[in-house]
Amino acid sequence: MSTTSGRVKVAAQDGPRELDPHQWRGDFPILEKKVHDQPLIYFDNAATTQKPRQVLEAMEKLYAEHYANVHRGIHTLSEESTDRYEAARDTVCRLLGGVSREEVIFTCGTTEAINLVARSWGDQNVSQGDEILISEMEHHANIVPWQQLAERTGATVRWIPISDDGMLDQEACGSMLSSRTKLVAITAVSNVLGTINPIKQIIDAAHANDALVLVDAAQSVPHAPTDLQSWNADFVAFGGHKMLGPTGIGVLYGKRQLLDAMPPCLGGGGMIRRVRKEGFEPADLPDKFEAGTPPFVEAIGLATAIEYLQQVGMQSIAAYEQQLAKLAMERLSAIEGVRIFGPGATDRAGIISFQIDGVHAHDVAQILDRFSIAVRAGHHCAMPLHLRLQVPATARASFYFYNTSEEVEKLGVAIEETQKVFRKK
Ligand code: 7TS
């Protein structure tokens, strides 16, 4: 494992293997929990995922055996914490296909990573008359920072439309790109529709127009292999808690020459080379963007989560979740009065948002909870998308590799029971 400067070597990508969820479920203490006297069926993985014992133990071990602040002391404990924190960065580099460690900034989550780019790169590079393209299927975390940037600078946010079946309108995207476009900020996978966007094509088209691309990878990095060198994205944001890791940790990947030219967002300890009464000189990457005590225990938890996911196999996870989604779509679409939003199974990750005729999404979630099934209901922080779909709210089942086909079948049965409850009313 290299902790020195430069590119971190990656092992060859794992080939797809048959995935047996029962091989892994035993590692997740919460999956043994009963809700209303029945085994928990956790289908709210797009909001956050459950944690395996290995992640919980790694964080506890750090606190119990190696804990001291990082980058500050030369005492043994501080060195132990620092080594582990920097090794966590190497683990992230390998996950992303062998990027440089200077290009990996730890943040406290996806939201902070996107805001960092909007504040730092945005304020420096965007001005009146410029355009930022975002899609109609973005999460608020990839909308509001650009609206705020537009308010500060006089730039315009333009919306790439989606089709009725929840696919990005690539033709429209192509025709919206122009010399005014400074950035395309796009999600790799919709957190509501499950749509898998053609990220590489979007990036190639944007680059041909000299625009940069930020990929919101919050819903893709946890579920599929990520090869940033083939994407050639300029910025990529994702978080730890949706991929078995703890809350409070996320990642901003940025191309080195871009990050080098950007001013730091937050000032404080750790991000400076020197401070004088007259001013300060920022530190080199990645420290420049990591002011204050970083969430280093969380970073170590994230690294353990990544190692766990790699053991399961990212390709296997992607293939298995697509199978589950296909099964769920077949089961749910066979029920009269259930409407599924978004594309067909081949263009979709393991996320299914749906509506039951005559039943509000919040009631659906409440009744499913009685069957010990956890789903989210509401606008899922994607209000413009719900306006486009012309529904106030949807119910959403989102899968991870520890979910089973038996659980999907129970969801189908619980939905049929929900309809019966409402027919009686
Ligand atoms: N981008 C996408 C695509 C997301 O799905 C989310 C969280 C975020 C950004 C923000 O991540 P955070 O960890 O910084 O909050 N999505 C969801 C969701 O769908 N339900 O709860 C959180």
Side-chain angles (χ1 to χ4, degrees):
M1 179 181 298
S2 153
T3 53
T4 50
S5 274
R7 286 190 182 270
V8 174
K9 289 204 178 78
V10 267
Q13 284 285 5
D14 55 331
R17 295 188 293 270
E18 198 65 29
L19 192 150
D20 174 9
H22 297 288
Q23 187 187 340
W24 309 102
R25 285 178 67 88
D27 289 332
F28 293 78
I30 214 164
L31 296 181
E32 279 148 40
K33 188 180 164 80
K34 295 215 159 144
V35 176
H36 309 307
D37 290 328
Q38 298 161 86
L40 165 70
I41 297 178
Y42 186 76
F43 281 163
D44 197 13
N45 294 289
T48 196
T49 58
Q50 300 300 344
K51 317 302 167 198
R53 198 166 288 148
Q54 288 81 345
V55 169
L56 306 175
E57 283 169 4
M59 293 175 74
E60 193 186 333
K61 188 172 161 69
L62 197 278
Y63 277 123
E65 294 176 24
H66 311 288
Y67 183 77
N69 210 333
V70 293
H71 298 318
R72 280 169 171 77
I74 47 168
H75 59 79
T76 303
L77 284 188
S78 176
E79 277 181 6
E80 287 177 8
S81 276
T82 304
D83 285 351
R84 283 162 176 76
Y85 179 54
E86 291 305 328
R89 201 185 307 274
D90 290 336
T91 303
V92 172
C93 291
R94 279 191 292 276
L95 177 76
L96 299 180
V99 300
S100 292
R101 53 200 326 284
E102 290 78 10
E103 298 177 312
V104 169
I105 313 294
F106 281 122
T107 65
C108 73
T110 309
T111 300
E112 191 192 273
I114 297 172
N115 275 273
L116 193 164
V117 176
R119 280 271 163 194
S120 173
W121 176 85
D123 283 4
Q124 194 179 45
N125 292 285
V126 174
S127 49
Q128 179 119 29
D130 289 341
E131 292 178 356
I132 310 285
L133 304 192
I134 64 177
S135 84
E136 287 182 326
M137 66 173 93
E138 299 307 314
H139 184 281
H140 296 165
N142 201 27
I143 298 174
V144 181
W146 309 117
Q147 291 177 325
Q148 290 173 311
L149 174 64
E151 274 174 21
R152 290 197 299 279
T153 60
T156 307
V157 172
R158 295 187 65 199
W159 296 80
I160 307 166
I162 60 168
S163 62
D164 289 339
D165 61 353
M167 299 287 282
L168 190 82
D169 186 338
Q170 266 182 275
E171 227 176 274
C173 177
S175 63
M176 288 166 78
L177 283 163
S178 75
S179 57
R180 286 185 299 277
T181 316
K182 275 288 160 93
L183 180 81
V184 180
I186 182 104
T187 193
V189 169
S190 159
N191 69 315
V192 177
L193 304 168
T195 314
I196 301 170
N197 280 323
I199 289 299
K200 191 165 164 42
Q201 285 95 307
I202 296 165
I203 291 173
D204 288 348
H207 285 174
N209 273 271
D210 293 328
L212 300 186
V213 180
L214 175 140
V215 181
D216 176 350
Q219 300 290 355
S220 72
V221 166
H223 300 279
T226 308
D227 182 357
L228 287 199
Q229 285 182 32
S230 95
W231 269 4
N232 195 19
D234 301 291
F235 299 106
V236 177
F238 62 97
H241 70 91
K242 293 187 203 292
M243 52 190 296
L244 311 182
T247 54
I249 183 76
V251 171
L252 170 67
Y253 160 84
K255 278 186 183 159
R256 187 178 182 150
Q257 73 274 20
L258 293 170
L259 293 176
D260 260 336
M262 283 159 52
C265 251
L266 298 178
M271 51 68 72
I272 46 83
R273 188 195 304 278
R274 72 181 66 81
V275 182
R276 296 291 181 266
K277 285 184 178 166
E278 298 72 32
F280 73 94
E281 199 184 314
D284 289 336
L285 293 171
D287 299 359
K288 181 169 85 169
F289 292 108
E290 295 184 2
T293 298
F296 60 95
V297 182
E298 289 76 8
I300 288 154
L302 171 60
T304 311
I306 290 171
E307 281 156 12
Y308 187 97
L309 288 170
Q310 286 174 328
Q311 221 185 321
V312 182
M314 296 308 304
Q315 282 199 18
S316 306
I317 292 173
Y320 177 72
E321 288 174 14
Q322 275 203 309
Q323 272 171 34
L324 272 190
K326 185 165 180 277
L327 189 71
M329 288 189 53
E330 282 163 8
R331 180 67 176 88
L332 267 55
S333 57
I335 306 172
E336 209 178 311
V338 174
R339 177 180 170 201
I340 296 173
F341 297 91
T346 46
D347 295 307
R348 181 191 287 262
I351 297 176
I352 297 184
S353 292
F354 60 95
Q355 196 185 34
I356 304 180
D357 282 354
V359 191
H360 192 278
H362 286 134
D363 294 327
V364 174
Q366 214 159 21
I367 297 176
L368 292 183
D369 181 65
R370 283 194 222 152
F371 292 88
S372 70
I373 300 174
V375 299
R376 186 173 169 185
H379 53 65
H380 316 295
C381 298
M383 280 186 174
L385 174 61
H386 280 75
L387 285 169
R388 166 69 180 84
L389 299 172
Q390 297 181 317
V391 279
T394 52
R396 179 186 69 185
S398 52
F399 308 127
Y400 216 6
F401 63 91
Y402 43 63
N403 291 126
T404 67
S405 47
E406 294 79 27
E407 290 179 326
V408 169
E409 172 54 26
K410 283 185 185 162
L411 173 68
V413 172
I415 288 173
E416 285 161 352
E417 293 299 318
T418 306
Q419 287 180 318
K420 283 183 201 158
V421 171
F422 272 82
R423 267 186 215 125
K424 277 187 210 139
K425 281 191 175 174

